[in-house]
């Protein structure tokens, strides 16, 4: 793969956020063709494959069409471990069972490794209580939410000794896009100068079929707003305005396990913007942190624009409003957000009819880092007690 080098980066303490890098070639040849390059980063298929064998990709699933899930699977490189965490309904139709059948059918032909489990399996309650990781539970079961599902996936990736963990939304219609994301994840990890790295996909276009043809929309309906306010926060902290953040809501992203282990997360659809807010709060030097190794080695956030367009299920206006509310609430409640910025956020939410005057953005609970969890114990309990757990040889 051949990708532009980051042309510009914003540095805050130990955190470095790189501007968008575009993919030049999805495949740039083998080891033999590697030569001197100054304006691009380039990795051979062999180098990328080595990273892929140490990577897991988590697919959060909730009531998606099985044929689209199968398409996503077909795009993930064979050596990457797939971890499906599903919160699909079990009744009146058992949609999870349909997903299991889809995965096993695919396995019969491809022999690709995967593990899958339902988010509400009672064994999660047993396992997470056993290791003292209960903030994600409501009573005996894991809470609903995409973020919660992703955290479960990360715990499994950690238990299986993976060094990298990525995420791909399971409603992606284009297997080629999924394939490209995996290659981007591996290439950016190869290019990173720190073991604490994150890469976020900046979709070139969100594609819709309108009238008689495709319409390629450049901006997401939510991300444009989230990016604006994260950038405003950064500008106010550094006193230099910036537009560096372009992936505030990027569901398709990946990080090194070392970074995943020190990250605090947010449930539901707030997880992606919160990751950035957490990195800014924790590692930009505005307050002390206990993670000294991260401070000395630094954190890099890459934002990469693939060649494939993004085509996914279009959700309704209410879903979009909920995502805007979640995203802006996170910025509003950041300890680094000043009163003036809070006012701007409130105005935005009121103008969009998402909040009424006098209402406050809801404060969401953070999910603590998975670093100190005994993930092997969790896996052992799941393997012994979970009703929905399926694993091929991994
Ligand atoms: N395990 C699990 N649990 N998965 C879930 C849940 C849940 O409770 N809720 C949703 N998902 C899965 C969906 O099946 C899909 O694969 C993925 O999470 C994203 O959910 P969508 O409902 O498709 O969200 P979206 O496409 O509108 O939003 C996506 O893009 C946003 C950026 O614009 C998500 O990735 C957002 O997180 C992201 O911010």
């Amino acid at each position: 793969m051949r990708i532009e080098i980051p042309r510009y980066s914003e540095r805050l303490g130990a955190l470095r956020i790189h501007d968008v890098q575009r993919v030049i070639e999805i495949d740039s040849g083998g080891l033999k063709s590697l030569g001197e390059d100054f304006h691009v980063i380039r990795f051979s298929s062999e180098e990328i494959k080595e990273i892929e064998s140490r990577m897991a990709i988590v697919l959060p699933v909730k009531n998606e069409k099985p044929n689209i899930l199968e398409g996503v699977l077909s795009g993930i490189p064979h050596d990457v471990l797939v971890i499906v965490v599903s919160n699909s309904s079990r009744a009146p139709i058992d949609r999870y069972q349909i997903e299991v059948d889809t995965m096993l059918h695919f396995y019969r032909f491809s022999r690709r490794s995967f593990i899958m489990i339902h988010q509400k399996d009672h064994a999660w309650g047993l396992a997470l209580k056993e290791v003292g990781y209960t903030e994600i539970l409501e009573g005996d079961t894991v809470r609903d939410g995409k973020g919660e599902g992703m955290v479960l996936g990360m715990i499994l990736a950690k238990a299986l000794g993976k060094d990298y963990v990525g995420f791909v939304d399971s409603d992606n219609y284009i297997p080629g896009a999924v394939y490209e994301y995996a290659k981007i994840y591996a290439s950016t990890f190869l290019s990173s100068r720190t073991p604490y790295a994150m890469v976020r996909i900046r979709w070139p276009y969100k594609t819709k079929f309108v009238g008689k043809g495709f319409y390629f929309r450049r901006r997401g309906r939510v991300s444009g707003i989230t990016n604006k306010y994260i950038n405003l926060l950064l500008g106010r902290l550094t006193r230099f305005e910036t537009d560096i953040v372009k992936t505030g809501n990027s569901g398709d992203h990946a990080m090194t396990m070392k970074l995943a282990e020190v990250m605090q997360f947010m449930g539901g659809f707030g997880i992606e913007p919160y990751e950035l807010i957490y990195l800014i709060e924790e590692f930009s030097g505005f307050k002390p942190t206990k993670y000294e190794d991260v401070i000395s080695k630094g954190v890099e956030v890459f934002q990469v624009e693939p060649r494939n367009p993004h085509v996914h299920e279009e959700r309704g206006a209410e879903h979009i409003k909920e995502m805007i509310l979640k995203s802006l609430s996170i910025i509003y409640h950041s300890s680094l957000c000043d009163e003036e910025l809070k006012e701007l956020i409130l105005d935005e939410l009121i103008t969009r009819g998402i909040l009424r005057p006098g209402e406050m953005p809801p404060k969401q609970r953070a999910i603590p880092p998975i670093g100190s969890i005994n993930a092997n114990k969790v896996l052992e309990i799941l393997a012994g007690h979970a009703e929905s757990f399926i694993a091929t040889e991994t």
Side-chain angles (χ1 to χ4, degrees), residues 196-257:
Y196 301 99
M198 175 182 285
V199 46
R200 302 167 73 95
I201 299 293
R202 191 296 237 306
W203 301 318
Y205 301 102
K206 280 216 176 176
T207 313
K208 261 176 96 168
F209 198 77
V210 181
K212 288 187 177 158
F214 285 112
Y215 182 75
F216 295 93
R217 199 175 62 225
R218 190 75 175 129
R219 300 272 167 265
R221 287 179 288 176
V222 181
S223 53
I225 300 165
T226 309
N227 295 341
K228 173 179 163 188
Y229 286 94
I230 299 182
N231 285 324
L232 274 174
L233 176 71
L234 287 174
R236 299 171 84 82
L237 293 172
T238 58
R239 308 221 142 264
F240 281 88
E241 286 189 357
T242 180
D243 62 355
I244 194 83
V245 171
K246 300 189 173 81
T247 55
N249 292 92
S250 180
D252 302 308
H253 67 294
M255 60 193 107
T256 57
M257 185 53 76

Side-chain angles (χ1 to χ4, degrees), residues 195-376:
Y196 301 99
M198 175 182 285
V199 46
R200 302 167 73 95
I201 299 293
R202 191 296 237 306
W203 301 318
Y205 301 102
K206 280 216 176 176
T207 313
K208 261 176 96 168
F209 198 77
V210 181
K212 288 187 177 158
F214 285 112
Y215 182 75
F216 295 93
R217 199 175 62 225
R218 190 75 175 129
R219 300 272 167 265
R221 287 179 288 176
V222 181
S223 53
I225 300 165
T226 309
N227 295 341
K228 173 179 163 188
Y229 286 94
I230 299 182
N231 285 324
L232 274 174
L233 176 71
L234 287 174
R236 299 171 84 82
L237 293 172
T238 58
R239 308 221 142 264
F240 281 88
E241 286 189 357
T242 180
D243 62 355
I244 194 83
V245 171
K246 300 189 173 81
T247 55
N249 292 92
S250 180
D252 302 308
H253 67 294
M255 60 193 107
T256 57
M257 185 53 76
K258 275 182 92 72
L259 181 60
E261 287 188 320
V262 300
M263 292 291 294
Q264 200 162 275
F265 295 101
M266 188 67 73
F269 289 113
I271 185 163
E272 290 94 1
Y274 184 72
E275 285 168 357
L276 290 177
I277 295 297
Y278 173 77
L279 289 174
I280 298 166
E281 286 178 350
E282 196 68 25
F283 302 119
S284 59
F286 288 98
K287 59 174 203 172
T289 177
K290 61 179 178 184
Y291 299 113
E292 284 167 18
D293 191 53
V294 186
I295 294 295
S296 79
K297 299 203 168 95
V299 180
E300 279 188 289
V301 175
F302 297 89
Q303 307 179 94
V304 180
E305 187 172 294
R307 287 284 163 174
N308 280 277
H310 188 78
V311 186
H312 72 148
E313 286 288 313
E314 280 285 333
R315 315 282 173 195
E318 281 313 304
H319 176 74
I320 299 295
K321 280 186 175 178
E322 189 201 326
M323 295 222 309
I324 295 174
L325 179 62
K326 285 250 158 81
S327 303
L328 296 195
S329 300
I330 285 164
I331 306 167
Y332 182 94
H333 288 292
S334 164
S335 56
L336 300 176
C337 183
D338 62 47
E339 288 306 317
E340 224 173 73
L341 185 54
K342 280 185 201 282
E343 278 304 314
L344 291 176
I345 291 173
L346 276 181
D347 283 352
E348 179 82 52
L349 290 169
I350 292 167
T351 311
R352 290 181 176 275
I354 297 173
L355 283 185
R356 280 195 289 266
E359 282 182 336
M360 295 295 281
K363 190 163 187 193
Q364 299 151 71
R365 258 178 306 176
I367 303 174
I370 60 167
S372 54
I373 294 186
N374 181 345
N376 291 330

